[in-house]
C-alpha cells in the first residue's frame, strides 16, 4: 500500500477511513467544501484540499474538483467512502485515467450493478431470484401503468439510478399510479436518469443484506448478513447482525447467492447484496428476493466488523493494493450480536424533519468494550442543511441480541445535545419495544411507533 490516500468524502465516514489509514501508517488527505473548512474530518487527516462551495454538486459531487485535489496533494489512492461519488463509474474511470488507485470495484462492475434494472438482469443470469417486476426500456407512462397492473398492486416505483430512498414511491392502487410515477421521475432526474422500474411490493417486508468481499485473484467470500429493517422514508436507521430468525443453512444460501452475483460481474472490493424478505412469515429461502447491489462500503459496515472482528476499510486498502483476501470462507468466524443506530439531527415528532443548527453541546457516551462510537461532528460545529443529518453511529456488541439491545438503548439515552434535536431518545425507546425485542418488525415499524408515541402524548395532554 502506498499513500497518501485522498478521502473523497466528509463527516463520519471520512473520519473512520482516516483512523484505519493512521493505524496502517498511511498519510491521508481530506477534501472540504466551504461549509466544512473547520470540520472534524479535516482535522482527522494529515492534509486537506478545498474543493468548492457548500453545494455538493460543486464540491463533493464534482469529479474534476476531486481529481484536481488529488493531483495537488500528491495522493496515490482515492477512497470514496459511501454516498456522493462512491458508486459513480465515471469517477472510478477518472481516477484510473489520472493514475490514481480507486479503492473500490472496477468501473465495469459499478456500471453492471449501478442500475437496478441491469442488476436484476445480471441476478437472473446468475440464478439469483428477484421479486416480480418490470425493468424494460419502454418507459412510456401507459406501458409502466400496464405493467403495474400485470404485476398486481401494491407496487413500488424505483428510480433505476436512485439510492438512499430517493426516487421511490409506493403505489397502493391503479388510480394513484400516474401521480406517483411523475413524482418518482422528478426525483430520479436528480440522478441524471429519469428511468424507473416497477416492482411487486412486499406489503410487510424485512430488509436483509449480505456483505461480500472479493480480490483481484478470483477469491470471493461473504461475511454474513445484516438486518436493516428499521427505516424511515426508505432510509435505514438501525442495523444489526445476525438477522433475527436467520439459521446457518439460510445464511449459507444467501451467502451463496451474493457470492454468485459478485462473481458474475468480476467484482473486486467491498460490496453489499440487498434482499427483501416477507416479514409476514418466518425467514425462508423461497420468500427472500434480490433487489440491488451497493458497490461500496455501507454505512452499517461496523456491525459486521463487530461480529467478525475485522476492519473492512483495511481489507479495502489491501485489496486495492493488489493483495489477496486475508481469510477464506471457512476461516470467517461470526461471534455475538451487534446493533447500530444512526444518530441524526432530526425531529421524530415532526416526521423526522432535519434539524440543522449550531451544535452548542454534544455529549456522547464513552466507547469501550461492547460499545463503539463513530462520530463525524463535535460540540461547537454547525450542522448545515446541505448534507445528510447523520452526525454519529453508535454500535453495541454483546453475546446475545437482548444484551446488545439493552446496551445500545442505554448508550442512546446517555446522549446529550443542545442547539439541535436528535433522534437518540426515540431510537432508544424503539429498541426496547416488545416488537423489536421479539424481532417482529417490518420496514414500516418506525413510522407506526412514531405515530403511536404521538397519539399517546396527545392522550396524556
Amino acid at each position: 500500500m502506498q499513500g497518501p490516500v485522498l478521502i473523497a468524502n466528509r463527516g463520519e465516514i471520512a473520519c473512520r477511513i482516516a483512523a484505519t489509514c493512521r493505524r496502517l501508517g498511511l498519510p491521508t488527505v481530506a477534501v472540504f467544501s466551504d461549509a466544512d473548512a473547520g470540520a472534524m474530518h479535516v482535522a482527522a487527516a494529515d492534509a486537506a484540499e478545498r474543493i468548492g462551495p457548500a453545494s455538493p454538486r460543486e464540491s463533493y459531487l464534482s469529479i474534476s474538483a476531486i481529481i484536481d485535489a488529488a493531483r495537488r496533494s500528491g495522493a496515490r489512492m482515492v477512497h470514496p467512502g459511501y454516498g456522493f461519488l462512491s458508486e459513480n463509474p465515471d469517477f472510478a474511470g477518472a481516477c484510473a485515467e489520472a493514475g490514481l488507485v480507486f479503492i473500490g470495484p472496477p468501473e465495469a462492475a459499478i456500471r453492471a450493478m449501478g442500475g437496478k434494472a441491469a442488476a436484476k438482469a445480471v441476478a437472473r443470469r446468475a440464478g439469483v431470484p428477484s421479486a416480480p417486476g418490470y425493468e424494460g426500456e419502454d418507459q412510456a407512462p401507459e406501458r409502466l401503468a400496464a405493467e403495474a397492473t400485470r404485476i398486481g398492486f401494491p407496487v413500488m416505483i424505483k428510480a433505476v439510478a436512485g439510492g438512499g430512498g430517493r426516487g421511490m414511491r409506493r403505489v397502493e392502487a391503479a388510480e394513484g399510479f400516474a401521480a406517483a410515477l411523475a413524482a418518482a421521475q422528478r426525483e430520479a432526474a436528480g440522478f441524471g436518469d429519469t428511468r424507473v422500474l416497477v416492482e411487486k411490493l412486499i406489503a410487510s417486508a424485512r430488509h436483509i443484506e449480505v456483505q461480500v468481499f472479493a480480490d483481484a485473484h478470483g477469491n470471493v467470500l461473504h461475511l454474513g448478513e445484516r438486518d436493516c429493517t428499521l427505516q424511515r422514508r426508505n432510509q435505514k436507521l438501525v442495523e444489526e447482525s445476525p438477522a433475527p430468525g436467520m439459521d446457518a443453512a439460510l445464511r449459507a444460501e444467501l451467502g451463496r447467492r451474493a457470492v454468485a452475483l459478485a462473481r458474475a460481474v468480476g467484482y473486486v472490493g467491498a460490496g453489499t447484496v440487498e434482499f427483501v424478505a416477507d416479514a409476514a412469515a418466518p425467514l425462508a429461502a423461497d420468500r427472500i428476493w434480490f433487489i440491488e447491489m451497493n458497490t461500496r462500503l455501507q454505512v452499517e459496515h461496523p456491525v459486521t466488523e463487530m461480529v467478525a472482528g475485522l476492519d473492512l476499510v483495511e481489507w479495502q486498502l489491501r485489496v486495492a493494493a493488489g493483495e489477496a483476501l486475508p481469510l477464506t470462507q471457512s476461516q470467517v468466524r461470526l461471534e455475538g450480536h451487534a446493533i447500530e443506530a444512526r444518530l441524526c439531527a432530526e425531529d421524530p415528532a415532526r416526521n423526522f424533519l432535519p434539524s440543522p443548527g449550531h451544535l452548542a453541546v454534544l455529549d456522547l457516551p464513552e466507547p469501550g468494550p461492547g460499545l463503539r462510537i463513530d462520530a463525524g461532528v463535535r460540540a461547537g460545529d454547525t450542522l448545515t442543511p446541505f448534507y445528510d443529518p447523520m452526525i454519529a453511529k453508535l454500535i453495541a456488541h454483546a453475546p446475545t441480541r437482548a444484551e446488545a439491545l439493552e446496551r445500545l438503548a442505554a448508550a442512546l439515552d446517555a446522549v446529550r445535545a443542545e442547539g439541535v434535536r436528535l433522534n437518540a431518545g426515540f431510537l432508544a425507546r424503539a429498541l426496547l419495544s416488545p416488537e423489536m425485542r421479539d424481532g417482529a418488525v417490518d420496514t414500516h415499524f418506525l413510522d407506526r411507533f412514531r405515530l403511536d408515541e404521538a397519539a399517546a402524548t396527545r392522550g396524556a395532554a
Side-chain angles (χ1 to χ4, degrees):
M1 292 180 286
Q2 292 184 320
V5 177
L6 183 133
I7 305 170
N9 216 296
R10 64 178 302 280
E12 165 272 326
I13 187 57
C15 295
R16 186 262 171 277
I17 294 165
T20 290
C21 290
R22 189 179 311 113
R23 181 174 61 78
L24 296 175
L26 291 171
T28 53
V29 180
V31 294
F32 63 91
S33 71
D34 290 342
D36 279 340
M40 184 174 173
H41 76 274
V42 175
D46 298 298
E49 294 283 346
R50 178 187 178 274
I51 52 171
S55 167
R57 288 195 176 279
E58 299 177 271
S59 52
Y60 298 104
L61 287 171
S62 171
I63 293 175
S64 60
I66 299 289
I67 297 297
D68 286 347
R71 287 197 180 104
R72 291 195 303 269
S73 68
R76 306 287 293 276
M77 307 176 82
V78 175
H79 197 307
Y82 52 69
F84 293 132
L85 294 170
S86 61
E87 293 181 279
N88 187 317
D90 293 336
F91 182 51
C95 287
E97 199 172 302
L100 300 164
V101 175
F102 179 73
I103 303 171
E107 178 184 356
I110 300 176
R111 289 194 188 281
M113 292 287 99
K116 293 179 176 65
K120 284 193 170 187
V122 173
R124 281 194 295 270
R125 291 194 296 271
V128 179
S130 58
Y134 171 75
E135 305 100 36
E137 289 299 317
D138 186 350
Q139 291 283 298
E142 299 79 11
R143 175 64 184 276
L144 293 169
E147 292 293 340
T149 300
R150 176 187 64 80
I151 295 163
F153 291 94
V155 300
M156 184 72 84
I157 301 171
K158 293 183 177 181
V160 166
R166 291 170 294 170
M168 297 174 62
R169 290 295 185 277
R170 174 179 176 141
V171 189
E172 300 291 343
E175 52 267 30
F177 187 83
L181 173 62
Q185 288 175 326
R186 281 195 299 272
E187 286 188 9
F191 297 101
D193 186 346
T194 60
R195 292 176 302 153
V196 301
L197 59 83
V198 183
E199 188 173 83
K200 178 64 178 174
L201 179 67
I202 311 303
S204 180
R206 286 175 60 182
H207 185 132
I208 297 174
E209 61 189 29
V210 176
Q211 176 72 62
V212 294
F213 237 102
D215 62 28
H217 306 280
N219 303 304
V220 188
L221 55 72
H222 72 87
L223 298 171
E225 83 289 348
R226 298 182 289 255
D227 189 309
C228 308
T229 296
L230 266 63
Q231 306 177 6
R232 52 96 171 94
R233 293 193 299 275
N234 298 309
Q235 294 178 317
K236 307 162 191 172
L237 280 182
V238 174
E239 303 98 351
E240 61 181 307
S241 182
M246 182 75 67
D247 60 26
L250 185 52
R251 177 173 298 111
E253 169 58 18
L254 287 189
R256 182 198 66 76
R257 294 180 188 180
V259 166
L261 190 64
R263 287 192 184 280
V265 292
Y267 203 80
V268 176
T272 300
V273 181
E274 304 205 4
F275 299 90
V276 62
D278 187 351
L283 288 179
D286 63 351
R287 303 296 294 168
I288 301 178
W289 302 274
F290 167 76
I291 48 175
E292 64 180 325
M293 183 177 187
N294 288 312
T295 55
R296 54 173 167 79
L297 197 67
Q298 292 280 86
V299 178
E300 57 271 21
H301 75 275
V303 295
T304 296
E305 292 184 323
M306 296 287 267
V307 296
L310 302 170
D311 183 332
L312 299 191
V313 172
E314 179 179 349
W315 276 36
Q316 285 187 295
L317 291 163
R318 293 193 180 282
V319 165
E323 297 182 25
L325 293 178
L327 298 177
T328 64
Q329 189 68 66
S330 63
Q331 293 174 317
V332 173
R333 296 288 182 269
L334 306 176
E335 297 182 359
H337 201 99
I339 307 180
E340 171 183 291
R342 304 188 189 189
L343 185 63
C344 298
E346 61 186 20
D347 188 353
R350 301 179 65 194
N351 197 22
F352 304 104
L353 191 70
S355 178
H358 180 69
L359 189 60
V361 173
L362 178 63
D363 291 331
L364 299 175
E366 284 294 321
L371 182 64
R372 169 174 163 178
I373 309 293
D374 286 12
V377 302
R378 307 150 297 188
D381 287 348
T382 296
L383 309 181
T384 76
F386 293 106
Y387 312 120
D388 187 272
M390 188 179 76
I391 63 174
K393 300 182 305 200
L394 282 63
I395 311 100
H397 182 254
T400 68
R401 182 173 186 267
E403 291 174 281
L405 282 170
E406 293 280 356
R407 182 168 292 166
L408 183 55
L412 287 164
D413 275 333
V415 173
R416 296 289 180 269
E418 293 180 13
V420 303
R421 293 186 178 275
L422 300 181
N423 62 354
F426 171 81
L427 290 181
R429 295 188 297 274
L431 290 174
L432 298 181
S433 67
E435 296 90 340
M436 187 62 180
R437 288 182 185 272
D438 294 341
V441 296
D442 63 16
T443 52
H444 302 295
F445 168 70
L446 283 184
D447 287 323
R448 293 194 301 270
F449 187 77
R450 178 183 64 82
L451 293 173
D452 288 346
E453 281 207 331
T457 300
R458 288 195 299 270

